[in-house]
């Protein structure tokens, strides 16, 4: 029988001709794979509960899994247990820090090349100041990881990855303006309007927004034209009056008012989550994903995008400006409704955990090795400290 609280999945490479097919068939007849897999499932459950790492003893894991598993294994084990916090705990040899650093380096190089310092110099210095100021590059990472999730190549996703960061940077420049949030610190540096003036900051944001679409159209190669167009439409929608602008205007109109959870969710799905969603969806589109794959990526990214805002709200009241690299407590000072204010700090943290579980659930149908970056990225967003 299949253990009720465990589900073990091995991810294999190509099989090796180490035994004859006849001998293999005889062994499979004597030891049915389904029965032996049950022992492996039980072993996986014990590993999850007691902290054993199956990857540390791949020989035992392969023996437990039976003849079907006696082939080169990627060290990826998926187990589901009611004794775990999450619905699916992926145990594997994957280093998110190295992955993020490598991808961020490539994105930074691509952004530097895309927006060089040229005439008129002042506007390009202003654009580059905010665009190359660092940051986690979560949106580009989502685009690249989603492209790779559906079998696409990083190069195909790089233009939409850069475009998503250009749009995000525009939103930060405009959000920091005196007429909006009136902030003077961003990513640990003076905001754009503080250095270059309000007029130049507005124009720099406008230039980054318009160039984002041009960059996708002119720099995407090896992708079907209709998929390039779909990605441009997705980016356009995420930032317009049904996307980021919608969330921003409702947010402004609700300052100083008491709003319910539905209104707060509308604000942040549009103001924050929509661009993260678009970045991931564009990556899946240019990567060749089918409709079902794109829909699952969209659902995953929407959860992660809302999670990003919930965690932002939590950090805003639990961290200092030095720790955050931006002004802390500004939402409280402007009397905005936030998740901690509405749900309480513990309630906001519980909601964040619910979003993590939902996001993980959308990845369950994909190849575990390809889904690993997105799985760990959701956990990174949930537990980040700045």
């Amino acid at each position: 029988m299949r253990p009720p609280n465990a589900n073990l999945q091995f991810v294999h490479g190509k099989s090796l001709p180490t035994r004859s097919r006849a001998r293999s068939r005889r062994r499979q007849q004597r030891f049915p794979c389904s029965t032996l897999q049950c022992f492996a499932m039980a072993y996986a459950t014990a590993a999850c509960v007691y902290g054993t790492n199956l990857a540390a003893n791949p020989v035992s894991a392969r023996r437990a899994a039976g003849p079907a598993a006696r082939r080169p294994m990627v060290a990826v084990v998926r187990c589901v247990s009611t004794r775990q916090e999450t619905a699916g705990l992926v145990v594997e040899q994957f280093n998110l820090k190295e992955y993020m650093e490598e991808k961020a380096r490539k994105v930074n190089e691509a952004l530097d090349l895309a927006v060089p310092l040229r005439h008129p110099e002042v506007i390009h210095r202003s654009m580059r100041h905010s665009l190359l100021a660092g940051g986690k590059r979560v949106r580009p990472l989502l685009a690249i990881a989603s492209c790779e999730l559906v079998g696409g190549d990083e190069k195909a996703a790089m233009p939409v990855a850069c475009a998503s960061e250009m749009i995000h940077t525009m939103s930060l420049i405009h959000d920091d303006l005196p007429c909006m949030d009136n902030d003077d610190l961003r990513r640990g540096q003076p905001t754009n309007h503080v250095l270059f003036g309000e007029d130049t900051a507005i124009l720099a944001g406008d230039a980054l927004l318009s160039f984002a679409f041009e960059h996708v159209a002119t720099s995407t190669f090896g992708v079907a034209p209709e998929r390039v167009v779909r990605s441009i439409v997705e980016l356009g929608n995420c930032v317009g009056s049904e996307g980021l602008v919608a969330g921003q205007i409702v947010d402004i109109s609700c300052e100083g008012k008491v709003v319910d959870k539905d209104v707060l969710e509308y604000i942040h799905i549009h103001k924050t989550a929509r661009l993260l969603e678009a970045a991931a969806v564009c990556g899946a589109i240019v990567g060749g994903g089918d409709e079902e794959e794109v829909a699952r990526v969209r659902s995953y990214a929407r959860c992660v995008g809302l999670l990003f805002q919930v965690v932002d709200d939590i950090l805003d009241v639990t961290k200092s400006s030095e720790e955050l690299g931006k002004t802390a407590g500004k939402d409280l000072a402007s009397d905005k409704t936030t998740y901690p204010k509405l749900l309480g700090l513990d309630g906001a943290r519980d909601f964040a955990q619910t979003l993590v579980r939902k996001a993980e659930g959308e990845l369950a149908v994909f190849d575990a090795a390809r889904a690993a970056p997105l799985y760990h990225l959701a956990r990174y967003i949930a537990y980040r400290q700045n």
Side-chain angles (χ1 to χ4, degrees):
M1 277 184 64
R2 185 184 186 87
N5 293 332
N7 173 25
L8 176 67
Q9 173 187 338
F10 290 100
V11 181
H12 309 289
K14 296 180 180 179
S15 59
L16 290 175
T18 56
R19 296 182 176 88
S20 69
R21 292 183 180 179
R23 185 179 180 186
S24 179
R25 281 196 297 270
R26 287 197 300 272
R27 284 182 176 272
Q28 289 180 23
Q29 288 168 359
R30 293 202 304 271
F31 305 102
C33 183
S34 58
T35 302
L36 288 171
Q37 287 287 359
C38 288
F39 288 99
M41 292 169 195
Y43 184 52
T45 304
C48 288
V49 173
Y50 299 111
T52 303
N53 185 356
L54 288 178
N57 193 355
V59 175
S60 296
R62 290 170 68 184
R63 286 172 179 168
R70 288 178 184 145
R71 44 187 98 152
M73 267 194 316
V74 178
V76 177
V77 180
R78 177 177 299 278
C79 54
V80 178
S81 172
T82 56
R83 298 184 65 177
Q84 295 301 315
E85 270 185 0
T86 61
L89 176 64
V90 178
V91 181
E92 61 184 296
Q93 292 178 341
F94 180 82
N95 189 317
L96 179 65
K97 184 175 184 291
E98 288 182 2
Y99 180 88
M100 291 183 68
E101 288 176 352
E102 178 195 359
K103 300 302 183 186
R105 178 182 58 78
K106 291 180 180 179
V107 168
N108 289 335
E109 290 174 357
L111 289 170
D112 187 29
L113 291 173
V115 186
L117 188 60
R118 57 180 183 265
H119 183 77
E121 187 173 312
V122 64
I123 193 64
H124 289 99
R125 281 198 295 112
S126 178
M127 292 165 67
R128 286 171 59 86
H129 168 75
S130 296
L131 185 63
L132 303 178
K136 292 172 281 293
R137 305 303 192 205
V138 171
R139 291 151 194 83
L141 286 171
L142 278 170
I144 294 169
S146 297
C147 179
E148 294 174 337
L149 176 70
V150 298
D153 183 76
E154 175 190 289
K155 292 180 181 179
M158 191 58 75
V160 294
C162 290
S164 69
E165 191 66 18
M166 293 174 193
I167 294 171
H168 174 55
T169 301
M170 174 278 300
S171 73
L172 298 182
I173 294 173
H174 287 179
D175 206 37
D176 291 337
L177 289 168
C179 62
M180 300 289 280
D181 282 356
N182 191 26
D183 218 332
D184 57 5
L185 187 67
R186 174 70 67 176
R187 292 172 174 170
Q189 299 186 33
T191 50
N192 201 291
H193 69 273
V194 170
L195 287 181
F196 297 95
E198 290 182 48
D199 49 2
T200 301
I202 292 170
L203 292 173
D206 293 345
L208 284 169
L209 176 61
S210 58
F211 182 62
F213 304 105
E214 178 187 343
H215 186 63
V216 174
T218 59
S219 301
T220 306
F221 301 102
V223 177
E226 59 269 22
R227 288 185 176 270
V228 178
V229 172
R230 278 181 65 191
S231 68
I232 292 173
V233 171
E234 184 73 28
L235 287 171
N237 178 266
C238 85
V239 75
S241 60
E242 295 180 345
L244 189 152
V245 170
Q248 193 75 276
I249 195 67
V250 175
D251 189 28
I252 291 171
S253 67
C254 289
E255 285 186 15
K257 299 178 182 179
V258 177
V259 301
D260 60 24
K261 188 179 178 182
D262 289 341
V263 174
L264 187 61
E265 192 164 303
Y266 177 91
I267 290 171
H268 293 313
I269 281 177
H270 291 78
K271 182 181 175 182
T272 303
R274 188 65 188 88
L275 180 52
L276 286 139
E277 175 187 327
V281 168
C282 286
I285 289 172
V286 299
D290 61 30
E291 292 304 318
E292 181 183 354
E293 289 173 329
V294 171
R296 285 191 174 276
V297 167
R298 184 184 296 280
S299 180
Y300 160 86
R302 179 160 293 200
C303 290
V304 166
L306 192 54
L307 171 67
F308 195 95
Q309 184 60 53
V310 175
V311 175
D312 246 15
D313 285 356
I314 293 170
L315 294 176
D316 191 58
V317 296
T318 59
K319 298 293 181 180
S320 66
S321 298
E322 290 74 21
E323 290 173 307
L324 295 178
K326 60 182 180 180
T327 306
K330 63 178 182 180
D331 290 336
L332 188 64
S334 58
D335 200 22
K336 286 185 178 181
T337 299
T338 65
Y339 283 101
K341 184 177 179 180
L342 186 67
L343 305 176
L345 195 55
D346 288 341
R349 286 171 173 155
D350 289 343
F351 184 44
Q353 288 301 314
T354 299
L355 291 169
V356 172
R357 289 193 292 270
K358 287 182 178 179
E360 290 171 352
E362 296 297 338
L363 300 176
V365 301
F366 292 99
D367 175 82
R370 288 179 178 174
L374 291 175
Y375 172 87
H376 287 284
L377 190 58
R379 308 296 295 179
Y380 165 79
I381 290 171
Y383 298 117
R384 66 192 172 93
Q385 297 300 308
N386 57 38

